[in-house]
Coordinates of all heavy atoms in Angstrom, one line a residue:
M1026 N 0.8 -1.2 0.0 CA 0.0 0.0 0.0 C 0.9 1.2 0.0 O 1.9 1.3 0.7 CB -0.9 0.0 1.2 CG -1.8 1.1 1.3 SD -3.0 1.0 2.7 CE -4.1 2.2 2.3
E1027 N 0.4 2.3 -0.7 CA 1.2 3.5 -0.8 C 1.1 4.2 0.5 O 0.1 4.2 1.3 CB 0.5 4.4 -1.9 CG 1.3 5.6 -2.2 CD 0.7 6.4 -3.3 OE1 0.2 5.8 -4.3 OE2 0.6 7.6 -3.1
Q1028 N 2.2 4.9 0.9 CA 2.3 5.6 2.1 C 1.4 6.8 2.1 O 1.3 7.5 1.1 CB 3.8 6.1 2.4 CG 4.7 4.9 2.7 CD 4.3 4.2 4.0 OE1 3.9 4.8 5.0 NE2 4.4 2.9 4.0
P1029 N 0.7 7.1 3.2 CA -0.1 8.3 3.3 C 0.7 9.6 3.2 O 1.8 9.6 3.7 CB -0.8 8.1 4.7 CG -0.1 7.1 5.4 CD 0.7 6.3 4.4
K1030 N 0.1 10.6 2.6 CA 0.8 11.9 2.4 C 0.2 13.0 3.3 O 1.0 13.9 3.7 CB 0.7 12.3 1.0 CG 1.4 11.3 0.1 CD 1.2 11.8 -1.4 CE 2.0 10.9 -2.3 NZ 1.3 9.8 -2.9
T1031 N -1.0 13.0 3.7 CA -1.6 14.0 4.5 C -2.0 13.5 5.9 O -2.1 12.3 6.0 CB -2.9 14.6 3.8 OG1 -3.9 13.5 3.8 CG2 -2.7 15.1 2.4
P1032 N -2.2 14.4 6.8 CA -2.6 13.9 8.2 C -3.9 13.1 8.1 O -4.0 12.1 8.8 CB -2.7 15.2 9.0 CG -1.8 16.1 8.3 CD -1.9 15.8 6.8
L1033 N -4.8 13.5 7.2 CA -6.1 12.8 7.1 C -5.8 11.4 6.6 O -6.4 10.4 7.1 CB -7.1 13.5 6.3 CG -8.4 12.8 6.0 CD1 -9.1 12.5 7.3 CD2 -9.3 13.7 5.1
E1034 N -5.0 11.2 5.6 CA -4.7 9.9 5.0 C -4.0 9.1 6.0 O -4.2 7.9 6.1 CB -3.8 10.1 3.8 CG -4.6 10.6 2.6 CD -3.6 10.9 1.4 OE1 -2.4 10.8 1.5 OE2 -4.1 11.2 0.3
T1035 N -3.1 9.7 6.8 CA -2.4 8.9 7.9 C -3.4 8.4 8.9 O -3.3 7.2 9.3 CB -1.4 9.8 8.5 OG1 -0.4 10.3 7.5 CG2 -0.6 9.1 9.6
A1036 N -4.3 9.3 9.4 CA -5.3 8.9 10.3 C -6.2 7.7 9.8 O -6.5 6.8 10.5 CB -6.1 10.1 10.8
Q1037 N -6.6 7.9 8.5 CA -7.4 6.8 7.9 C -6.7 5.5 7.8 O -7.2 4.4 8.0 CB -7.9 7.3 6.5 CG -9.0 6.4 5.9 CD -10.2 6.4 6.7 OE1 -10.8 7.4 7.0 NE2 -10.7 5.2 7.0
Y1038 N -5.4 5.6 7.5 CA -4.5 4.4 7.4 C -4.5 3.7 8.7 O -4.6 2.5 8.8 CB -3.1 4.9 6.9 CG -2.1 3.8 6.7 CD1 -2.1 3.0 5.6 CD2 -1.2 3.5 7.7 CE1 -1.2 2.0 5.4 CE2 -0.2 2.5 7.6 CZ -0.3 1.8 6.4 OH 0.7 0.7 6.3
H1039 N -4.2 4.5 9.8 CA -4.2 3.9 11.1 C -5.5 3.3 11.6 O -5.6 2.2 12.1 CB -3.7 4.9 12.2 CG -2.3 5.2 12.2 ND1 -1.4 4.4 12.8 CD2 -1.6 6.2 11.6 CE1 -0.1 4.9 12.6 NE2 -0.2 6.0 11.9
L1040 N -6.6 4.0 11.3 CA -7.9 3.4 11.6 C -8.2 2.1 10.9 O -8.6 1.2 11.5 CB -9.0 4.5 11.2 CG -10.5 4.0 11.4 CD1 -10.7 3.6 12.8 CD2 -11.4 5.1 10.9
N1041 N -7.8 2.0 9.6 CA -8.0 0.8 8.9 C -7.1 -0.3 9.4 O -7.6 -1.5 9.5 CB -7.7 1.0 7.4 CG -8.7 1.9 6.7 OD1 -9.8 2.0 7.1 ND2 -8.3 2.5 5.6
A1042 N -5.9 0.0 9.9 CA -5.0 -1.0 10.5 C -5.6 -1.5 11.8 O -5.6 -2.7 12.0 CB -3.7 -0.4 10.7
W1043 N -6.2 -0.6 12.6 CA -6.8 -1.1 13.9 C -8.0 -1.9 13.6 O -8.3 -2.8 14.4 CB -7.0 0.1 14.8 CG -5.7 0.5 15.5 CD1 -5.0 1.6 15.2 CD2 -5.0 -0.1 16.5 NE1 -3.9 1.7 16.0 CE2 -3.9 0.6 16.8 CE3 -5.3 -1.3 17.2 CZ2 -3.0 0.2 17.8 CZ3 -4.3 -1.7 18.2 CH2 -3.2 -0.9 18.5
L1044 N -8.8 -1.5 12.6 CA -10.0 -2.3 12.3 C -9.6 -3.7 11.8 O -10.3 -4.7 12.2 CB -10.9 -1.6 11.3 CG -11.6 -0.3 11.7 CD1 -12.2 0.4 10.6 CD2 -12.6 -0.7 12.8
T1045 N -8.6 -3.8 11.0 CA -8.1 -5.1 10.6 C -7.6 -5.9 11.8 O -7.8 -7.1 11.9 CB -6.9 -4.9 9.6 OG1 -7.4 -4.2 8.5 CG2 -6.4 -6.3 9.1
A1046 N -6.9 -5.3 12.7 CA -6.4 -6.0 13.9 C -7.5 -6.5 14.7 O -7.5 -7.6 15.3 CB -5.5 -5.0 14.7
E1047 N -8.6 -5.7 14.8 CA -9.8 -6.2 15.6 C -10.4 -7.4 15.0 O -10.7 -8.4 15.7 CB -10.8 -5.1 15.7 CG -12.0 -5.5 16.5 CD -13.1 -4.4 16.4 OE1 -13.4 -3.9 15.4 OE2 -13.7 -4.1 17.5
L1048 N -10.5 -7.5 13.7 CA -11.0 -8.6 13.0 C -10.1 -9.9 13.2 O -10.6 -11.0 13.5 CB -11.1 -8.4 11.5 CG -12.3 -7.5 11.1 CD1 -12.2 -7.2 9.6 CD2 -13.6 -8.1 11.4
E1049 N -8.8 -9.7 13.2 CA -7.8 -10.8 13.4 C -8.0 -11.3 14.8 O -7.9 -12.5 15.0 CB -6.4 -10.3 13.1 CG -6.1 -10.2 11.7 CD -6.1 -11.5 10.9 OE1 -5.6 -12.5 11.5 OE2 -6.7 -11.6 9.8
V1050 N -8.1 -10.4 15.8 CA -8.1 -10.8 17.2 C -9.4 -11.5 17.5 O -9.5 -12.5 18.2 CB -7.9 -9.6 18.1 CG1 -8.3 -10.0 19.6 CG2 -6.5 -9.1 18.0
T1051 N -10.5 -11.0 16.9 CA -11.8 -11.7 17.2 C -11.9 -13.1 16.6 O -12.6 -13.9 17.1 CB -13.0 -10.8 16.6 OG1 -12.8 -10.6 15.2 CG2 -13.1 -9.6 17.4
T1052 N -11.2 -13.3 15.5 CA -11.2 -14.7 14.9 C -10.2 -15.6 15.4 O -10.3 -16.8 15.5 CB -11.1 -14.6 13.4 OG1 -9.9 -13.9 13.0 CG2 -12.3 -13.9 12.7
H1053 N -9.1 -15.0 15.9 CA -8.0 -15.8 16.4 C -7.4 -15.2 17.7 O -6.2 -14.9 17.8 CB -6.8 -15.9 15.4 CG -7.3 -16.4 14.0 ND1 -7.7 -17.6 13.8 CD2 -7.4 -15.7 12.9 CE1 -8.1 -17.7 12.5 NE2 -7.9 -16.6 11.9
Q1054 N -8.3 -15.0 18.7 CA -7.9 -14.4 20.0 C -6.7 -15.1 20.6 O -5.7 -14.5 21.0 CB -9.1 -14.3 20.9 CG -8.7 -13.7 22.3 CD -8.3 -12.3 22.3 OE1 -8.6 -11.5 21.4 NE2 -7.5 -12.0 23.3
S1055 N -6.8 -16.4 20.8 CA -5.8 -17.2 21.5 C -5.8 -18.6 20.9 O -6.8 -19.1 20.4 CB -6.0 -17.2 23.0 OG -7.1 -17.8 23.3
Y1056 N -4.6 -19.2 21.1 CA -4.6 -20.6 20.7 C -3.5 -21.3 21.5 O -2.6 -20.7 22.1 CB -4.3 -20.8 19.2 CG -3.1 -20.1 18.6 CD1 -1.9 -20.8 18.6 CD2 -3.1 -18.8 18.2 CE1 -0.7 -20.1 18.1 CE2 -2.0 -18.2 17.7 CZ -0.8 -18.8 17.7 OH 0.3 -18.2 17.2
T1057 N -3.6 -22.6 21.5 CA -2.6 -23.5 22.2 C -2.0 -24.5 21.3 O -2.7 -25.1 20.5 CB -3.4 -24.2 23.4 OG1 -4.0 -23.2 24.2 CG2 -2.4 -25.0 24.3
I1058 N -0.7 -24.6 21.5 CA 0.0 -25.7 20.7 C 0.8 -26.5 21.8 O 1.7 -25.9 22.4 CB 1.0 -25.1 19.7 CG1 0.2 -24.3 18.7 CG2 1.8 -26.2 19.1 CD1 1.1 -23.6 17.7
G1059 N 0.4 -27.7 22.0 CA 1.0 -28.5 23.0 C 0.8 -27.9 24.4 O -0.3 -27.7 24.8
S1060 N 1.9 -27.6 25.1 CA 1.7 -27.0 26.5 C 1.8 -25.5 26.4 O 1.7 -24.9 27.5 CB 2.8 -27.6 27.4 OG 4.1 -27.3 26.9
R1061 N 2.0 -24.9 25.3 CA 2.2 -23.5 25.2 C 0.9 -22.8 24.7 O 0.2 -23.4 23.8 CB 3.3 -23.1 24.2 CG 4.6 -23.5 24.7 CD 5.6 -23.1 23.7 NE 7.0 -23.4 24.2 CZ 8.0 -22.7 23.9 NH1 7.9 -21.8 23.0 NH2 9.2 -23.0 24.4
S1062 N 0.6 -21.6 25.2 CA -0.6 -20.9 24.7 C -0.2 -19.5 24.4 O 0.7 -18.9 25.1 CB -1.7 -21.0 25.7 OG -1.7 -20.0 26.7
L1063 N -0.9 -18.9 23.5 CA -0.6 -17.5 23.1 C -1.9 -16.7 23.0 O -2.9 -17.2 22.4 CB 0.1 -17.5 21.7 CG 0.3 -16.1 21.1 CD1 1.3 -15.3 21.9 CD2 0.7 -16.2 19.6
T1064 N -2.0 -15.5 23.6 CA -3.1 -14.6 23.5 C -2.6 -13.4 22.8 O -1.6 -12.8 23.2 CB -3.6 -14.2 24.9 OG1 -4.0 -15.4 25.6 CG2 -4.8 -13.3 24.8
K1065 N -3.2 -13.0 21.7 CA -2.7 -11.9 20.8 C -2.8 -10.6 21.5 O -1.8 -9.9 21.6 CB -3.5 -12.0 19.5 CG -3.1 -13.1 18.6 CD -3.7 -12.9 17.3 CE -3.2 -14.0 16.3 NZ -3.8 -13.8 15.0
A1066 N -4.0 -10.1 21.8 CA -4.2 -8.8 22.3 C -5.5 -8.6 23.1 O -6.3 -9.5 23.0 CB -4.1 -7.8 21.2
D1067 N -5.6 -7.5 23.7 CA -6.8 -7.2 24.5 C -7.8 -6.4 23.6 O -7.4 -5.3 23.1 CB -6.4 -6.4 25.8 CG -7.6 -6.2 26.7 OD1 -8.7 -6.8 26.5 OD2 -7.4 -5.3 27.6
L1068 N -9.0 -6.9 23.4 CA -9.9 -6.3 22.6 C -10.3 -4.9 23.1 O -10.6 -4.0 22.3 CB -11.2 -7.1 22.4 CG -11.1 -8.2 21.3 CD1 -12.4 -9.0 21.3 CD2 -10.9 -7.6 20.0
S1069 N -10.3 -4.7 24.4 CA -10.7 -3.3 24.9 C -9.7 -2.3 24.5 O -10.0 -1.2 24.2 CB -10.9 -3.4 26.4 OG -9.7 -3.7 27.1
E1070 N -8.4 -2.7 24.5 CA -7.3 -1.7 24.1 C -7.5 -1.4 22.6 O -7.3 -0.3 22.2 CB -6.0 -2.3 24.4 CG -5.6 -2.4 25.8 CD -4.2 -3.0 26.0 OE1 -3.4 -2.9 25.2 OE2 -4.1 -3.6 27.1
I1071 N -7.8 -2.4 21.8 CA -8.0 -2.2 20.4 C -9.2 -1.3 20.1 O -9.1 -0.4 19.3 CB -8.1 -3.5 19.6 CG1 -6.8 -4.3 19.7 CG2 -8.5 -3.3 18.2 CD1 -6.8 -5.7 19.1
G1072 N -10.2 -1.5 20.9 CA -11.4 -0.7 20.8 C -11.1 0.8 21.1 O -11.6 1.7 20.5
Q1073 N -10.3 1.0 22.1 CA -9.9 2.4 22.5 C -9.2 3.0 21.4 O -9.4 4.2 21.0 CB -9.1 2.4 23.8 CG -9.9 2.0 25.0 CD -9.0 1.8 26.2 OE1 -7.8 1.9 26.1 NE2 -9.6 1.6 27.4
R1074 N -8.2 2.3 20.7 CA -7.5 2.9 19.6 C -8.3 3.2 18.4 O -8.2 4.1 17.7 CB -6.3 1.9 19.2 CG -5.3 1.6 20.3 CD -4.8 2.9 21.0 NE -4.1 3.7 20.0 CZ -3.6 4.9 20.2 NH1 -3.9 5.5 21.4 NH2 -3.0 5.6 19.3
I1075 N -9.3 2.3 18.2 CA -10.3 2.5 17.1 C -11.1 3.8 17.3 O -11.2 4.6 16.4 CB -11.2 1.3 16.9 CG1 -10.4 0.1 16.3 CG2 -12.4 1.7 16.0 CD1 -11.2 -1.2 16.2
D1076 N -11.6 4.0 18.6 CA -12.3 5.2 18.9 C -11.4 6.4 18.7 O -11.9 7.4 18.2 CB -12.8 5.1 20.3 CG -13.9 4.1 20.5 OD1 -14.6 3.7 19.5 OD2 -14.2 3.7 21.7
Y1077 N -10.2 6.3 19.1 CA -9.3 7.5 19.0 C -9.1 7.8 17.5 O -9.2 9.0 17.1 CB -7.9 7.1 19.6 CG -6.8 8.2 19.3 CD1 -6.8 9.4 20.0 CD2 -5.9 8.0 18.2 CE1 -5.8 10.3 19.7 CE2 -5.0 8.9 17.9 CZ -5.0 10.1 18.6 OH -4.0 11.1 18.3
W1078 N -8.8 6.9 16.7 CA -8.6 7.1 15.3 C -9.8 7.6 14.5 O -9.8 8.4 13.6 CB -7.9 6.0 14.6 CG -6.4 5.9 15.0 CD1 -5.9 4.9 15.8 CD2 -5.4 6.8 14.7 NE1 -4.5 5.2 15.9 CE2 -4.2 6.4 15.3 CE3 -5.4 8.0 13.9 CZ2 -3.0 7.1 15.2 CZ3 -4.2 8.7 13.9 CH2 -3.0 8.2 14.5
K1079 N -11.0 7.1 14.9 CA -12.3 7.5 14.4 C -12.5 9.0 14.7 O -12.9 9.8 13.8 CB -13.5 6.7 14.9 CG -13.7 5.4 14.2 CD -15.0 4.8 14.8 CE -15.2 3.4 14.2 NZ -16.4 2.8 14.8
N1080 N -12.2 9.4 15.9 CA -12.3 10.8 16.3 C -11.3 11.7 15.5 O -11.7 12.8 15.1 CB -12.2 11.0 17.8 CG -13.3 10.4 18.6 OD1 -14.4 10.3 18.1 ND2 -13.1 10.0 19.8
E1081 N -10.1 11.2 15.4 CA -9.1 11.9 14.7 C -9.5 12.1 13.2 O -9.3 13.2 12.6 CB -7.8 11.2 14.8 CG -6.6 12.0 14.5 CD -6.3 13.2 15.4 OE1 -6.9 13.2 16.5 OE2 -5.5 14.1 15.0
V1082 N -10.0 11.0 12.6 CA -10.4 11.1 11.2 C -11.6 12.2 11.1 O -11.5 13.0 10.2 CB -10.9 9.8 10.6 CG1 -11.6 9.9 9.3 CG2 -9.6 8.9 10.4
A1083 N -12.5 12.1 12.0 CA -13.6 13.1 11.9 C -13.2 14.5 12.1 O -13.6 15.4 11.4 CB -14.7 12.7 13.0
R1084 N -12.2 14.7 13.0 CA -11.7 16.0 13.3 C -11.0 16.6 12.1 O -11.2 17.7 11.7 CB -10.7 16.0 14.5 CG -10.1 17.3 14.9 CD -9.2 17.2 16.0 NE -7.9 16.6 15.6 CZ -6.9 17.2 15.0 NH1 -7.0 18.5 14.7 NH2 -5.8 16.6 14.7
L1085 N -10.1 15.7 11.4 CA -9.4 16.2 10.3 C -10.3 16.4 9.1 O -10.1 17.3 8.3 CB -8.3 15.2 9.9 CG -7.2 15.1 11.0 CD1 -6.3 13.9 10.7 CD2 -6.3 16.4 10.9
E1086 N -11.3 15.6 8.9 CA -12.3 15.8 7.8 C -13.0 17.1 8.1 O -13.3 17.9 7.1 CB -13.3 14.7 7.8 CG -12.8 13.4 7.1 CD -13.7 12.2 7.2 OE1 -14.7 12.3 8.0 OE2 -13.5 11.3 6.4
N1087 N -13.4 17.4 9.3 CA -14.0 18.7 9.6 C -13.1 19.9 9.3 O -13.5 20.9 8.7 CB -14.4 18.7 11.1 CG -15.3 19.9 11.4 OD1 -16.1 20.3 10.6 ND2 -15.1 20.5 12.6
I1088 N -11.8 19.7 9.6 CA -10.9 20.8 9.3 C -10.8 21.0 7.8 O -10.8 22.1 7.3 CB -9.5 20.5 9.9 CG1 -9.5 20.7 11.4 CG2 -8.4 21.3 9.3 CD1 -8.3 20.2 12.1
S1089 N -10.7 19.9 7.0 CA -10.6 20.1 5.6 C -11.9 20.6 5.0 O -11.8 21.4 4.0 CB -10.2 18.8 4.9 OG -11.3 17.8 5.0
R1090 N -13.0 20.3 5.5 CA -14.3 20.8 5.0 C -14.5 22.3 5.4 O -15.1 23.0 4.5 CB -15.4 19.9 5.6 CG -16.7 20.0 4.9 CD -17.8 19.0 5.4 NE -17.8 18.8 6.8 CZ -17.4 17.6 7.4 NH1 -17.1 16.6 6.7 NH2 -17.5 17.5 8.7
C1091 N -14.1 22.7 6.6 CA -14.4 24.1 7.0 C -13.2 25.0 6.9 O -13.2 26.1 7.4 CB -14.9 24.0 8.5 SG -16.4 23.2 8.7
G1092 N -12.1 24.5 6.3 CA -11.0 25.4 6.2 C -10.2 25.6 7.4 O -9.5 26.5 7.6
G1093 N -10.4 24.7 8.4 CA -9.6 24.8 9.6 C -10.2 25.7 10.6 O -9.6 26.0 11.6
R1094 N -11.4 26.2 10.4 CA -12.0 27.2 11.3 C -13.3 26.7 11.8 O -14.1 26.1 11.1 CB -12.2 28.5 10.7 CG -10.9 29.2 10.3 CD -11.2 30.5 9.6 NE -11.3 30.2 8.2 CZ -11.8 31.0 7.3 NH1 -12.1 32.2 7.6 NH2 -11.8 30.6 6.0
N1095 N -13.6 26.9 13.1 CA -14.9 26.7 13.6 C -15.7 28.0 13.4 O -15.2 29.0 13.8 CB -14.8 26.3 15.1 CG -14.2 24.9 15.3 OD1 -14.4 24.1 14.5 ND2 -13.6 24.8 16.4
R1096 N -16.8 27.9 12.9 CA -17.6 29.0 12.6 C -18.8 29.1 13.6 O -19.5 28.1 13.8 CB -18.1 29.1 11.2 CG -17.0 29.2 10.2 CD -17.4 29.2 8.8 NE -16.3 29.0 8.0 CZ -16.1 29.7 6.9 NH1 -17.1 30.5 6.5 NH2 -15.0 29.6 6.2
V1097 N -19.0 30.2 14.2 CA -20.1 30.4 15.1 C -21.0 31.4 14.5 O -20.5 32.5 14.1 CB -19.6 30.9 16.5 CG1 -20.8 31.2 17.4 CG2 -18.7 29.8 17.1
R1098 N -22.2 31.1 14.4 CA -23.2 32.1 13.9 C -24.2 32.3 15.0 O -24.6 31.4 15.7 CB -23.9 31.5 12.7 CG -22.9 31.3 11.5 CD -23.5 31.1 10.2 NE -22.5 31.0 9.2 CZ -22.4 30.1 8.3 NH1 -23.2 29.1 8.3 NH2 -21.4 30.2 7.4
R1099 N -24.7 33.6 15.1 CA -25.6 33.9 16.1 C -26.7 34.7 15.4 O -26.5 35.5 14.5 CB -24.9 34.8 17.1 CG -25.8 35.2 18.2 CD -25.1 35.9 19.3 NE -24.5 37.2 18.8 CZ -23.9 38.0 19.6 NH1 -23.6 37.7 20.8 NH2 -23.4 39.1 19.1
A1100 N -27.9 34.4 15.9 CA -29.1 35.1 15.4 C -29.9 35.7 16.6 O -30.0 35.1 17.6 CB -30.0 34.1 14.6
V1101 N -30.4 36.9 16.4 CA -31.2 37.5 17.4 C -32.6 37.7 16.8 O -32.8 38.4 15.8 CB -30.6 38.9 17.7 CG1 -31.5 39.6 18.7 CG2 -29.2 38.8 18.3
F1102 N -33.5 37.0 17.4 CA -34.9 37.1 16.9 C -35.6 38.3 17.5 O -35.5 38.5 18.8 CB -35.6 35.8 17.2 CG -35.1 34.6 16.5 CD1 -34.2 33.7 17.2 CD2 -35.3 34.4 15.2 CE1 -33.7 32.7 16.5 CE2 -34.8 33.3 14.5 CZ -34.0 32.4 15.2
R1103 N -36.3 39.0 16.7 CA -37.0 40.2 17.2 C -38.5 40.1 16.8 O -38.8 39.8 15.7 CB -36.4 41.5 16.7 CG -34.9 41.6 17.1 CD -34.2 42.8 16.4 NE -35.1 44.0 16.4 CZ -34.7 45.1 15.7 NH1 -33.6 45.1 15.0 NH2 -35.5 46.1 15.6
D1104 N -39.3 40.5 17.8 CA -40.7 40.5 17.5 C -41.1 42.0 17.2 O -41.1 42.8 18.1 CB -41.5 40.0 18.7 CG -42.9 39.9 18.4 OD1 -43.3 39.9 17.2 OD2 -43.7 39.7 19.4
L1105 N -41.4 42.3 16.0 CA -41.7 43.7 15.6 C -43.2 43.9 15.5 O -44.0 43.3 15.1 CB -41.0 44.1 14.3 CG -39.5 44.1 14.4 CD1 -38.9 44.4 13.0 CD2 -39.0 45.1 15.4

């Protein structure tokens, strides 16, 4: 896969990697061979990282959509 160039592409790349990791862990969480056993990772930690990268992707998409500014609009209603 081509390396990401922008912060948004980087965040999306990391999010996709963590989503792939979650799928791998859910299908092959742990296994035993003979007297040895291996547990890959903790799903709650993976879930936290997925949430982090989802928020980061949303934040960066909002920046690109709004030009990096939060806009506040105010209206004053008057009864004439």
Side-chain angles (χ1 to χ4, degrees):
M1026 181 174 193
E1027 186 177 319
Q1028 290 297 323
K1030 294 178 175 99
T1031 66
L1033 177 57
E1034 289 174 352
T1035 302
Q1037 189 65 50
Y1038 180 81
H1039 282 280
L1040 176 60
N1041 291 338
W1043 281 105
L1044 289 170
T1045 301
E1047 182 185 45
L1048 287 175
E1049 284 296 316
V1050 168
T1051 55
T1052 56
H1053 308 290
Q1054 173 67 27
S1055 63
Y1056 58 90
T1057 304
I1058 299 174
S1060 62
R1061 295 180 173 209
S1062 86
L1063 173 70
T1064 302
K1065 287 188 176 181
D1067 184 12
L1068 275 176
S1069 64
E1070 289 179 29
I1071 293 173
Q1073 290 171 354
R1074 299 308 298 170
I1075 289 172
D1076 290 340
Y1077 170 81
W1078 286 110
K1079 277 183 182 177
N1080 291 334
E1081 195 65 16
V1082 166
R1084 184 182 71 81
L1085 292 168
E1086 284 176 341
N1087 189 36
I1088 286 172
S1089 68
R1090 195 173 40 246
C1091 296
R1094 292 178 273 172
N1095 290 329
R1096 296 179 188 220
V1097 177
R1098 296 193 175 129
R1099 182 172 64 176
V1101 177
F1102 296 99
R1103 298 173 43 188
D1104 187 18
L1105 297 176

